Amino acid sequence: MHVEEHVKLWNLASIKIWEVRHVVVRAGEPIHAYRFPISGFIYTVRGNATITLDDTMYAIDQMQVLHGGKGVWMNISLNEDSFEFYLMFYRANLSLSNTRENQALLRQHVPFHVQYAFAPSYPIDLYDKVQRIEQHWELTDAFSKFQVKTLFYQFINEAVKCTRN
């Protein structure tokens, strides 16, 4: 992943959060062939599982981040009795920049559709943001929805910093 180009495109994007879910999967309830309706982040919290995004398998322990673009097929097989994670779906709209440089960058890199995974350097900071995103998501007032967006941008900022190290 080209982090600098990735950041430039995130900076040009307008983000809309579509859904935030807190999911606990129990033994005997694996997730098979779930297709991402739009781009999303998975933040794993507890348990041990194998997550497959399209054809790429990830051996997951707690406190890891995965990203998949629209249309990615997800399968989760548990290696323990339960597995807990958060799923945050978003849509990124890019304002079509008039500069040729940004248009060329967009043709080469589309960070909202790229599949990747990493273990964050400071997982508790990201976990705190994800929990707060989910708490505000459950509320219906305009300020709470604004908080969700603000915290999501902070989550992206921390996640990008983690991929740079």
Side-chain angles (χ1 to χ4, degrees):
M1 176 178 8
H2 303 283
V3 176
E4 293 302 317
E5 289 84 4
H6 199 91
V7 169
K8 284 181 185 178
L9 290 171
W10 274 107
N11 195 36
L12 293 172
S14 171
I15 304 296
K16 175 160 178 41
I17 312 304
W18 280 78
E19 187 172 4
V20 178
R21 296 183 200 166
H22 178 218
V23 180
V24 178
V25 181
R26 308 228 183 271
E29 304 172 347
I31 296 174
H32 292 292
Y34 177 78
R35 190 169 187 166
F36 277 28
I38 55 179
S39 297
F41 281 97
I42 301 166
Y43 189 85
T44 66
V45 179
R46 286 184 190 82
N48 185 297
T50 300
I51 297 180
T52 305
L53 297 178
D54 284 341
D55 296 325
T56 306
M57 293 178 71
Y58 299 96
I60 298 297
D61 203 351
Q62 58 190 354
M63 304 291 187
Q64 293 186 35
V65 177
L66 294 91
H67 181 270
K70 178 181 179 178
V72 162
W73 290 98
M74 178 176 73
N75 294 292
I76 299 178
S77 300
L78 277 64
N79 300 329
E80 293 182 353
D81 290 337
S82 67
F83 183 65
E84 181 180 355
F85 63 96
Y86 288 86
L87 187 53
M88 297 181 292
F89 286 121
Y90 70 93
R91 180 170 304 230
N93 292 312
L94 287 170
S95 57
L96 295 178
S97 175
N98 293 335
T99 69
R100 288 185 180 167
E101 175 188 350
N102 287 340
Q103 290 176 353
L105 187 61
L106 183 56
R107 284 191 297 273
Q108 294 172 345
H109 307 279
V110 185
F112 322 113
H113 301 293
V114 175
Q115 181 178 303
Y116 55 89
F118 64 91
S121 308
Y122 301 100
I124 299 302
D125 291 343
L126 277 177
Y127 180 49
D128 177 61
K129 285 180 183 42
V130 171
Q131 280 187 309
R132 290 171 51 208
I133 288 169
E134 197 259 342
Q135 289 167 356
H136 286 287
W137 180 257
E138 296 299 321
L139 303 174
T140 58
D141 62 287
F143 183 75
S144 293
K145 296 308 178 195
F146 182 68
Q147 283 293 101
V148 168
K149 186 178 255 189
T150 301
L151 289 163
F152 187 78
Y153 276 112
Q154 291 174 19
F155 175 86
I156 298 300
N157 181 55
E158 292 297 319
V160 169
K161 277 197 248 181
C162 289
T163 61
R164 291 179 71 173
N165 298 334

